[in-house]
Amino acid sequence: MSTIYDFSIKDREGKDVSLADYKGKVLLVVNTATECGFTPTYADLQKLYEELADKGLEIIDLPCNQFGEQAPGSADEIHTFCTGRFGVTFPQFEKIEVNGENESELYTWLKSQRGFAGFDPNHRITPKLVEILSAADPDWEKSSDIKWNFTKFLIDREGNVVERFEPTADVETVVKPAVEKLL
């Protein structure tokens, strides 16, 4: 069985970064977007990073423009937006695709480890997501595909996927306790 350490991603300059460089860390891998209803999640992720980075948390930010083209711009433009608007200090990488023909091998593996976890039925954006996804594919809930921006995968210190959090999962009340268990 493989681990996340078998994969590489590209940094904002297009250079390969081996995820083995993060061995021993707890990772939160997130596909992000700068013009999405979930974009304020950047602030929640930054707060989590500030609180837990010194205990071994690393956040891997992978911008993705596949959902409503909500991550326009270059990797540097996205980085400038995130640092200026949300004070982001966690690493941001090159834009990737998380579904389909050109999806990143990392995401093929992540999705094989943890399928769709379901949206929080009480989240205000859930009805809109269900409407959009149902119009595109009546069987959308059955696939392990990433459904929207800010889907998060939690990786333990050994490189294994522990949990998948959909964009509607609250960072403070749902994601943070799961991260803390691994730290």
Side-chain angles (χ1 to χ4, degrees):
M1 183 176 116
S2 56
T3 69
I4 199 165
Y5 306 135
D6 297 324
F7 299 92
S8 291
I9 53 178
K10 294 196 180 292
D11 67 15
R12 289 193 335 267
E13 288 78 42
K15 296 179 186 136
D16 285 331
V17 174
S18 171
L19 291 173
D21 293 351
Y22 294 95
K23 275 188 180 173
K25 298 270 189 182
V26 171
L27 302 177
L28 199 59
V29 180
V30 189
N31 65 297
T32 61
T34 53
E35 296 182 5
C36 174
F38 291 105
T39 298
T41 303
Y42 272 120
D44 300 331
L45 292 171
Q46 179 60 30
K47 181 179 180 217
L48 183 70
Y49 189 65
E50 288 170 3
E51 291 174 7
L52 300 176
D54 64 340
K55 294 181 175 146
L57 172 67
E58 197 62 67
I59 295 175
I60 306 292
D61 177 353
L62 296 160
C64 177
N65 200 36
Q66 285 188 282
F67 306 99
E69 297 182 352
Q70 295 177 343
S74 68
D76 283 337
E77 289 168 333
I78 290 168
H79 179 69
T80 298
F81 171 84
C82 293
T83 54
R85 178 119 183 244
F86 298 105
V88 166
T89 59
F90 48 82
Q92 295 183 291
F93 295 86
E94 189 172 87
K95 234 191 267 193
I96 62 162
E97 291 191 14
V98 298
N99 293 328
E101 196 176 301
N102 298 314
E103 77 184 25
S104 154
E105 289 180 3
L106 170 62
Y107 269 81
T108 302
W109 178 76
L110 288 169
K111 294 184 302 184
S112 76
Q113 301 301 299
R114 285 287 185 277
F116 177 57
F119 294 129
D120 176 348
N122 299 314
H123 194 284
R124 65 180 177 77
I125 298 179
T126 294
K128 185 68 177 163
L129 285 175
V130 171
E131 178 186 324
I132 292 167
L133 294 167
S134 296
D137 176 8
D139 293 326
W140 65 272
E141 290 180 275
K142 295 178 182 165
S143 83
S144 65
D145 278 354
I146 303 302
K147 307 305 180 202
W148 209 254
N149 307 306
F150 292 93
T151 299
K152 297 164 269 315
F153 287 90
L154 180 59
I155 315 297
D156 67 16
R157 292 182 188 270
E158 287 76 49
N160 304 302
V161 179
V162 174
E163 205 158 342
R164 173 175 167 167
F165 302 101
E166 300 307 325
T168 55
D170 184 75
V171 172
E172 182 68 25
T173 62
V174 178
V175 178
K176 183 180 178 182
V179 169
E180 288 176 323
K181 278 184 197 171
L182 297 180
L183 294 172

